């Protein structure tokens, strides 16, 4: 929470979008965007008092918690059968239980699909190539763009969408939906969007539904086709953003089954070129990461025996096709694929840790120390351009202007690694629960890492539209849960105040994403329930 001389009267939405606010609540810009319910002012500390500006300009101290963060008894209450530890160890399971899937497919026939124009389609594919290709790692864009060109020639010659290969169409509509995750109505060229779409959220919902419809037409649960794995690898990015929370793990399990049937990752040979083999390896590791970076209580469907464990290479498709590759990769080579490689290494560390917990043949403190050192080593070995910015460093550099994905990758990777350090050290909570907390360095590191996640996102100046991606919400939510769980065990008023402020900041960050991500809305309500419990004590 910011310390300031006076509370701002411009609403948080207009301030974050850097547009003029008329200072009403709700203001005209928010009302015009259909976001009147989200129009709130920033809560700040004025001379040590939690304060928000009133409409007439005076300051209104908040008696317990900020008005827009106040717990709401009538809307939500935490389930009594899940403890705080359950919530931290089962974040997605908790959401599945407490927040029933709100997804309803809007595509029941081919006629329900919103089709972009050819130029709109290509611009969206290129946008996704820049911002999401290194997350889903599902396609060779050179090959896909050639197929895309042939697809539109077919349509413009009088052909129909329903006549095309449904498996390829599942990939196509999944890519369009994923492109929306990093798109913003206020800052993007609206000419690339179909006019009948309404807004970006409804457009993503339509294309996500269209991809699932195409998979169903292709009978994907009963046929082993590499294109089905590709479509699933892309769609899993969008599940939480559209409210299809329960289905993600089930869909990933289907993808893993198909991948095992096909023998992924492919080996280079007569059937598979070096590029095809590398694309299959990248995509296989997307599923591995999804399995192994899950909480320690998750039962993964992949073990080390299933594949050769060779990491993907941080080279793009053009370099692979030219043969410009080497097993000794320059550590500071600028490539978006480093992001994927680093996640693979992180998954390996976490996998070893969770396996040790399950086997129970190694002392927990030893497991935590090994895993924590492994994550620390990954942080230290990050390429220079992905290292955390030093205090006072400019938020934008010439390199970031040339490669705009750098800032997002830097923030996301540091957030992942810090949160995992926090959650791994949290496993030692049974030791500090019966001991003086000040004597427990694991607790200190756990809370420092969780608070650092929140402070990182507060200072990152990440555009709101880049917060649609589900892991942003889930990681922030996890950090808030860990902090909330330790507030009752605070050592003195200073620590209690620091942790409470971090929790409030976490809720504020999630508030900013409520209209972009259904999980963010529910996470806010959940964390508010912790404020209610704390306030009742």
């Amino acid at each position: 929470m910011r310390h300031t001389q006076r509370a701002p009267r411009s609403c948080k939405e207009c301030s974050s979008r850097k547009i003029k606010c008329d200072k009403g609540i709700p203001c005209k810009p928010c009302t015009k965007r259909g976001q009147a319910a989200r129009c709130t002012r920033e809560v700040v500390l004025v001379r040590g008092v939690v304060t928000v500006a009133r409409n007439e300009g005076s300051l209104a101290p908040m008696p317990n918690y900020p008005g827009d963060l106040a717990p709401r008894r009538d809307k939500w209450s935490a389930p009594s059968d899940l403890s705080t530890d359950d919530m931290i160890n089962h974040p997605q399971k908790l959401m599945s239980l407490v927040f029933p899937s709100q997804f309803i497919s809007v595509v029941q026939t081919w006629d329900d699909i919103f089709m972009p124009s050819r130029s709109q389609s290509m611009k969206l594919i290129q946008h996704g190539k820049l911002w999401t290709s290194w997350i889903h790692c599902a396609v060779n864009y050179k090959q896909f763009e050639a197929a895309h060109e042939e697809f539109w020639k077919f349509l413009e010659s009088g052909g129909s969408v329903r006549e095309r290969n449904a498996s390829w169409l599942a990939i196509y509509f999944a890519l369009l939906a994923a492109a929306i995750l990093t798109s913003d109505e206020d800052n993007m060229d609206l000419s690339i969007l179909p006019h009948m779409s309404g807004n970006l959220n409804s457009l993503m919902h339509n294309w996500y539904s269209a991809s699932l419809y195409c998979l169903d037409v292709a009978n994907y649960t009963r046929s082993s086709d590499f294109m089905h794995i590709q479509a699933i690898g892309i769609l899993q990015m969008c599940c939480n953003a559209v409210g299809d929370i329960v289905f993600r793990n089930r869909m990933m399990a289907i993808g893993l089954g198909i991948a095992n049937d096909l023998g992924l990752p492919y080996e280079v040979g007569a059937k598979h070129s070096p590029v095809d083999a590398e694309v299959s390896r990248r995509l296989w590791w997307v599923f591995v990461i999804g399995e192994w970076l899950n909480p320690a209580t998750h039962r993964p469907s992949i073990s080390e025996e299933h594949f050769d464990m060779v990491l993907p290479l941080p080279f793009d498709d053009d370099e692979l096709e030219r043969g410009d590759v080497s097993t000794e990769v320059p550590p500071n080579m600028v490539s978006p694929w480093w992001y994927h490689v680093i996640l693979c290494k992180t998954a390996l560390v976490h996998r070893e840790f969770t396996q040790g917990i399950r086997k129970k043949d190694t002392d927990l403190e030893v497991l935590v120390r090994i895993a924590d050192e492994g994550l620390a080593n990954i942080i230290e070995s990050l390429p220079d351009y992905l290292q955390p910015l030093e205090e006072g460093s400019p938020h934008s550099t010439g390199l970031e202007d040339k490669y705009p994905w750098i800032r997002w990758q830097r923030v996301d990777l540091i957030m992942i690694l810090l949160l995992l350090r926090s959650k791994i050290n949290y496993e030692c909570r049974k030791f500090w629960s019966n001991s003086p907390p000040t004597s427990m360095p694991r607790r200190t590191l756990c809370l420092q890492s969780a608070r650092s996640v929140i402070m990182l996102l507060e200072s990152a100046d990440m555009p709101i539209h880049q917060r649609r991606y589900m892991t942003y919400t889930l990681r922030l939510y996890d950090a808030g849960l860990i902090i909330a769980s330790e507030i009752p065990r605070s050592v003195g008023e200073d620590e209690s105040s620091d942790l409470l402020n971090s929790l409030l900041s976490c809720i504020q960050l999630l508030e900013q994403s409520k209209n972009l991500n259904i999980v963010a809305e529910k996470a806010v309500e959940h964390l508010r329930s912790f404020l209610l419990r704390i306030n009742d004590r």
Side-chain angles (χ1 to χ4, degrees):
M1 189 178 300
R2 284 197 308 132
H3 293 261
T4 183
Q5 296 300 311
R6 59 182 181 179
R9 294 189 62 213
S10 294
C11 76
K12 293 188 291 185
E13 286 293 306
C14 290
S15 296
S16 66
R17 294 171 182 267
K18 295 181 172 59
I19 61 176
K20 186 175 181 180
C21 181
D22 65 12
K23 299 179 174 58
I25 297 293
C27 68
K28 290 180 181 178
C30 285
T31 302
K32 186 176 179 180
R33 289 194 302 271
Q35 298 176 344
R38 288 184 41 75
C39 187
T40 58
R41 295 193 177 111
E42 182 184 7
V43 181
V44 294
L45 285 172
V46 177
R47 292 183 291 278
V49 178
V50 178
T51 305
V52 64
R54 287 177 175 170
N55 278 351
E56 62 269 21
S58 59
L59 301 181
M62 308 306 292
N64 289 307
Y65 302 105
D68 63 332
L69 301 179
R72 301 172 185 172
R73 296 172 185 267
D74 59 330
K75 285 194 65 178
W76 190 90
S77 59
S80 58
D81 58 333
L82 286 176
S83 67
T84 304
D85 290 345
D86 286 326
M87 299 174 193
I88 292 170
N89 289 325
H90 302 79
Q92 297 217 32
K93 178 181 177 182
L94 175 72
M95 290 185 180
S96 301
L97 294 172
V98 181
F99 319 139
S101 179
Q102 300 185 27
F103 177 77
I104 299 175
S105 178
V106 295
V107 174
Q108 304 299 325
T109 70
W110 292 104
D111 295 333
D112 295 331
I113 299 174
F114 293 151
M115 282 301 295
S117 68
R118 181 175 185 165
S119 62
Q120 290 169 339
S121 179
M122 194 65 225
K123 287 178 180 177
L124 284 167
I125 295 299
Q126 290 301 317
H127 178 84
K129 181 179 181 180
L130 177 65
W131 287 105
T132 63
S133 62
W134 35 266
I135 300 174
H136 59 69
C137 307
V139 298
N140 176 328
Y141 271 84
K142 185 175 181 179
Q143 295 176 0
F144 182 84
E145 287 164 5
H148 179 271
E149 180 73 11
E150 194 273 330
F151 168 65
W152 279 99
K153 286 181 179 179
F154 173 79
L155 293 184
E156 291 171 349
S157 67
S160 170
V161 173
R162 70 189 69 200
E163 299 175 67
R164 303 299 292 180
N165 183 313
S167 301
W168 184 88
L169 288 172
I171 298 172
Y172 171 65
F173 289 116
L175 287 174
L176 295 185
I180 300 300
L181 285 172
T182 54
S183 300
D184 177 28
E185 291 176 67
D186 289 345
N187 296 324
M188 77 182 304
D189 178 8
L190 295 182
S191 67
I192 73 173
L193 302 178
H195 293 299
M196 75 288 284
S197 62
N199 57 52
L200 292 185
N201 286 344
S202 64
L203 191 55
M204 179 166 57
H205 195 154
N206 183 275
W207 286 335
Y208 176 89
S209 300
S211 182
L212 288 179
Y213 176 77
C214 292
L215 283 173
D216 285 336
V217 171
N219 200 20
Y220 77 111
T221 59
R222 292 179 173 85
S223 58
S224 296
D225 191 318
F226 182 67
M227 286 191 283
H228 299 162
I229 311 173
Q230 291 175 288
I232 291 170
I234 304 165
L235 281 176
Q236 56 89 22
M237 296 175 56
C238 308
C239 290
N240 284 13
V242 300
D244 204 6
I245 301 165
V246 176
F247 189 55
R248 180 180 181 271
N249 283 344
R250 296 173 185 174
M251 183 168 59
M252 290 289 279
I254 293 171
L256 278 171
I258 300 171
N260 281 323
D261 288 345
L262 295 176
L264 260 63
Y266 294 144
E267 296 293 335
V268 178
K271 292 184 177 180
H272 305 293
S273 69
V275 176
D276 291 339
E278 188 62 25
V279 169
S280 75
R281 186 172 301 280
R282 291 173 184 166
L283 184 54
W284 172 257
W285 271 98
V286 168
F287 285 85
V288 173
I289 290 167
E291 287 285 284
W292 289 0
L293 281 186
N294 260 305
T297 50
H298 175 72
R299 295 178 181 177
S301 304
I302 305 175
S303 70
E304 294 86 341
E305 294 78 25
H306 289 162
F307 63 113
D308 59 16
M309 300 289 287
V310 176
L311 295 178
L313 297 170
F315 297 105
D316 62 32
D317 296 340
D318 290 338
E319 291 170 320
L320 290 171
E321 288 191 350
R322 293 194 304 265
D324 297 341
V325 298
S326 170
T327 54
E328 295 185 7
V329 184
N332 286 311
M333 179 184 73
V334 178
S335 168
W337 299 103
W338 273 121
Y339 176 87
H340 187 49
V341 175
I342 293 164
L343 282 187
C344 295
K345 293 179 179 179
T346 305
L348 288 170
V349 171
H350 193 250
R351 165 70 172 176
E352 184 178 353
F353 173 70
T354 55
Q355 282 290 89
I357 288 180
R358 290 191 190 94
K359 292 177 180 178
K360 298 180 180 180
D361 57 1
T362 305
D363 184 74
L364 178 61
E365 176 67 25
V366 174
L367 289 174
V368 170
R369 176 177 55 78
I370 293 173
D372 187 67
E373 290 175 354
L375 293 175
N377 290 336
I378 292 174
I379 294 176
E380 292 178 4
S381 65
L382 291 173
D384 289 345
Y385 66 88
L386 292 178
Q387 289 285 348
L389 292 175
E390 295 182 3
E391 188 173 355
S393 300
H395 281 287
S396 181
T397 65
L399 199 60
E400 290 179 21
D401 293 337
K402 183 177 180 181
Y403 305 106
W405 42 263
I406 285 180
R407 183 189 301 184
W408 191 96
Q409 287 193 359
R410 179 192 300 121
V411 172
D412 196 60
L413 286 172
I414 297 301
M415 177 169 61
I416 294 168
L417 293 165
L418 285 173
L419 181 60
L420 280 179
R421 291 191 78 180
S422 180
K423 296 183 74 171
I424 284 172
N425 282 280
Y426 187 78
E427 291 292 331
C428 289
R429 64 195 177 282
K430 66 180 181 181
F431 297 130
W432 70 60
S433 61
N434 298 316
S435 305
T438 50
S439 66
M440 301 306 298
R442 291 295 173 198
R443 179 180 184 273
T444 300
L445 183 54
C446 170
L447 292 176
Q448 282 179 345
S449 298
R451 293 185 65 203
S452 294
V453 169
I454 296 169
M455 289 188 288
L456 172 70
L457 293 175
E458 280 187 303
S459 62
D461 193 27
M462 181 184 291
I464 288 180
H465 64 274
Q466 291 185 5
R467 304 176 189 181
R468 279 191 178 91
Y469 188 38
M470 66 174 184
T471 51
Y472 170 89
T473 298
L474 290 176
R475 290 164 192 158
L476 190 55
Y477 171 68
D478 276 347
L481 282 178
I482 289 172
I483 290 169
S485 70
E486 286 301 305
I487 290 177
R489 291 195 281 264
S490 297
V491 183
E493 292 184 4
D494 287 346
E495 184 183 75
S496 177
S497 177
D498 288 343
L499 294 179
L500 181 59
N501 282 335
S502 292
L503 181 58
L504 292 174
S505 296
C506 178
I507 295 174
Q508 284 183 309
L509 287 168
L510 288 168
E511 283 271 4
Q512 295 170 6
S513 305
K514 280 173 59 176
N515 69 321
L516 302 175
N517 188 323
I518 186 66
V519 178
E521 179 181 351
K522 301 305 179 182
V524 167
E525 294 178 11
H526 185 200
L527 291 177
R528 278 174 172 159
S529 74
F530 279 99
L531 291 178
L532 179 61
R533 295 181 189 182
I534 295 166
N535 196 36
D536 286 344
R537 291 178 179 176

